Amino acid sequence: MTREEYISKRQEMMNVAQQLVSEGRLDEFKAKKAEVEALDAQFEAEAKAQTEIDALNAGIKVTPLASRSVSVPGKVIASMTNDVATDDEFTNSKEYRKAFMNHVMTGTTMPKEFMNSNENTKTTDVGVMIPDTVLQRIIQKMESTGMILPLVTRTSIKGGVTVPTSSLRPTATWVTEGSGSDKLKKTTGSITFAYHKLRCAISMSLEVDVMALEIFETQFTNEVAEAMVKAIEQAIISGSGSGQPSGILKETVAEGQNIDIAAAEDVTYDTLLEAEGALPLAYENGAVWFMTKKTFMKFIGIKDDSGQPIARVNHGINGRPERTLLGRQVVCNDYMTSLGAAIDSDTVVAFLFNPADYILNTNYSMGIREYYDEETEDKIKKSVMLVDGKVVDKNSLVTVTKKNA
């Protein structure tokens, strides 16, 4: 089952489940819920098996499945590093969580018996480990609030490992009975993930003696998740690749897959048609539009030759607006330049891309590090995680560029 097939089938099931709830058919809803859970389990099992095969093909020593974390899109697929040793039950204890809150709020040094649990942690810059219960809430918050993060392919491969990639879609050929076919000549390449440290400054001003543990953990989760999501999604779009992930827009598009808008012109219906025409048919499935909300609003008033609007906004079962251009999904974000904004060079204002062709490699073993800022004379606390990301197949990328002159 491919990722696209899984997502499509799951969405169909969820639509039926929502209808059953709306009609009060709760017994049927429970049965449908069980089907969704079975589908998730099947996809997870297939993802585990595929990860094993990919690792064997690349000559990578595979960690036993029992010690790995594999889940649906948006979850960790494999273990990024074996260097980080954590004890979930230990960090989830009420005593550790209270000590962690005191450390974040007042700078109180963690008791020695708690710090000993991190003696084997070799990943630098981690410091005090975040309790596992809080960490899981941060991850869930990131995945539920992100616009782009849930769409990309997620892995957790150890830094420095070279992963094989291919640059072409496979093809099949018809042959006559009794004869063989030519061997498929497929161009392959590779990518290597690095360790890029993503730091998030923590600033919580409420007094620890009047803050309940649950309130602290909720506020801590919200602050860290929001900051991390913004930084990661910005890097996915336009990261430099130096000290941070390499963004989609850092790729050079294939020949003929860029559409220019003259400096004195605006977007038209033909602009959209040219971009759709430039997207190879083999890469059409899964490609979505990326642009700011302001840019999308430029398309709202445009109509096709039959007088039908090319842009639509619907509301899904989760209440979020679902935007489309000629039936293709639009992902609005705040990480790009809007069409109509002042620019001083040629700027990409919208692009088509299949987010599954971008791999985000993360290590969710976050920790808290404290240091002293000499300039402000303040103690600064930062949450640290390891992140890298790269485009593995750029052939689904079509850019719309606003010319400066």
Side-chain angles (χ1 to χ4, degrees):
M1 183 192 318
T2 66
R3 182 175 185 272
E4 289 77 13
E5 290 172 341
Y6 163 70
I7 294 175
S8 176
K9 190 171 182 179
R10 193 179 196 278
Q11 187 60 56
E12 290 178 5
M13 289 183 173
M14 289 301 296
N15 290 340
V16 174
Q18 179 62 55
Q19 184 67 28
L20 293 173
V21 172
S22 300
E23 295 174 359
R25 298 153 63 185
L26 300 184
D27 289 339
E28 294 178 62
F29 164 72
K30 291 179 180 179
K32 182 59 65 176
K33 178 174 177 288
E35 291 181 25
V36 174
E37 292 171 345
L39 179 66
D40 290 343
Q42 178 186 351
F43 183 81
E44 290 181 12
E46 292 178 2
K48 285 181 181 180
Q50 187 60 52
T51 302
E52 294 288 316
I53 291 297
D54 292 343
L56 290 173
N57 286 334
I60 304 169
K61 183 178 179 181
V62 181
T63 306
L65 289 177
S67 64
R68 304 174 72 177
S69 176
V70 182
S71 189
V72 297
K75 303 291 186 183
V76 175
I77 294 179
S79 177
M80 182 179 188
T81 173
N82 296 325
D83 291 341
V84 179
T86 59
D87 185 337
D88 295 349
E89 293 183 2
F90 178 81
T91 61
N92 286 342
S93 67
K94 192 69 170 283
E95 293 78 11
Y96 185 94
R97 290 162 59 198
K98 289 288 289 184
F100 178 79
M101 180 177 74
N102 292 334
H103 175 70
V104 173
M105 298 293 294
T106 66
T108 303
T109 303
M110 292 286 287
K112 185 177 180 180
E113 60 269 24
F114 294 151
M115 295 302 295
N116 286 341
S117 66
N118 294 325
E119 284 178 344
N120 295 325
T121 300
K122 298 179 181 178
T123 303
T124 60
D125 249 359
V126 171
V128 179
M129 297 302 298
I130 297 175
D132 185 67
T133 54
V134 179
L135 179 58
Q136 295 305 317
R137 290 172 64 180
I138 291 174
I139 295 172
Q140 292 172 5
K141 184 73 173 180
M142 290 173 66
E143 292 167 354
S144 64
T145 59
M147 298 171 289
I148 301 170
L149 192 59
L151 303 179
V152 300
T153 299
R154 306 279 289 285
T155 63
S156 194
I157 301 169
K158 188 172 182 178
V161 171
T162 298
V163 182
T165 64
S166 61
S167 59
L168 295 175
R169 292 289 194 262
T171 58
T173 57
W174 293 101
V175 297
T176 58
E177 184 178 358
S179 63
S181 61
D182 294 336
K183 291 182 178 179
L184 178 63
K185 298 178 176 63
K186 191 171 184 180
T187 303
T188 59
S190 64
I191 58 174
T192 302
F193 292 110
Y195 288 129
H196 296 313
K197 295 172 185 173
L198 176 61
R199 297 181 176 91
C200 164
I202 308 298
S203 176
M204 302 180 69
S205 58
L206 293 179
E207 294 295 334
V208 68
D209 58 352
V210 298
M211 176 179 278
L213 178 61
E214 291 74 14
I215 296 176
F216 160 78
E217 291 181 342
T218 298
Q219 185 175 344
F220 181 85
T221 296
N222 293 339
E223 288 196 11
V224 174
E226 182 178 358
M228 291 292 190
V229 165
K230 289 182 179 179
I232 292 174
E233 292 192 335
Q234 178 73 67
I236 291 174
I237 296 293
S238 58
S240 65
S242 177
Q244 60 182 275
S246 179
I248 297 169
L249 295 183
K250 291 301 177 181
E251 297 291 326
T252 302
V253 296
E255 184 177 355
Q257 291 184 210
N258 175 68
I259 310 301
D260 287 332
I261 303 176
E265 296 180 1
D266 210 340
V267 291
T268 64
Y269 181 46
D270 289 339
T271 305
L272 193 61
L273 295 181
E274 287 182 42
E276 286 285 353
L279 179 65
L281 184 61
Y283 291 87
E284 183 171 280
N285 187 30
V288 300
W289 279 104
F290 291 85
M291 63 185 69
T292 66
K293 183 179 178 181
K294 287 185 178 180
T295 300
F296 176 76
M297 297 307 292
K298 292 279 187 179
F299 288 97
I300 286 291
I302 301 177
K303 298 181 180 180
D304 61 20
D305 295 337
S306 302
Q308 297 296 316
I310 64 172
R312 295 182 183 276
V313 180
N314 299 317
H315 291 279
I317 59 176
N318 58 5
R320 288 187 177 183
E322 296 178 351
R323 301 176 176 89
T324 59
L325 286 174
L326 291 180
R328 189 178 297 280
Q329 180 186 356
V330 178
V331 178
C332 291
N333 64 82
D334 295 324
Y335 313 117
M336 299 172 62
T337 301
S338 297
L339 190 61
I343 58 174
D344 53 14
S345 61
D346 295 352
T347 304
V348 175
V349 294
F351 66 91
L352 278 168
F353 184 71
N354 184 348
D357 291 335
Y358 187 95
I359 291 184
L360 185 74
N361 199 52
T362 57
N363 178 2
Y364 280 128
S365 294
M366 298 184 198
I368 293 293
R369 173 178 174 265
E370 181 180 83
Y371 69 94
Y372 186 77
D373 190 330
E374 295 289 351
E375 293 185 3
T376 62
E377 298 183 346
D378 290 334
K379 285 186 178 180
I380 307 298
K381 293 183 178 65
K382 289 191 175 183
S383 179
V384 183
M385 68 182 294
L386 304 177
V387 185
D388 196 9
K390 291 179 173 63
V391 171
V392 293
D393 190 346
K394 68 176 183 179
N395 290 295
S396 64
L397 178 61
V398 177
T399 53
V400 176
T401 303
K402 180 66 173 181
K403 304 294 287 185
N404 181 44

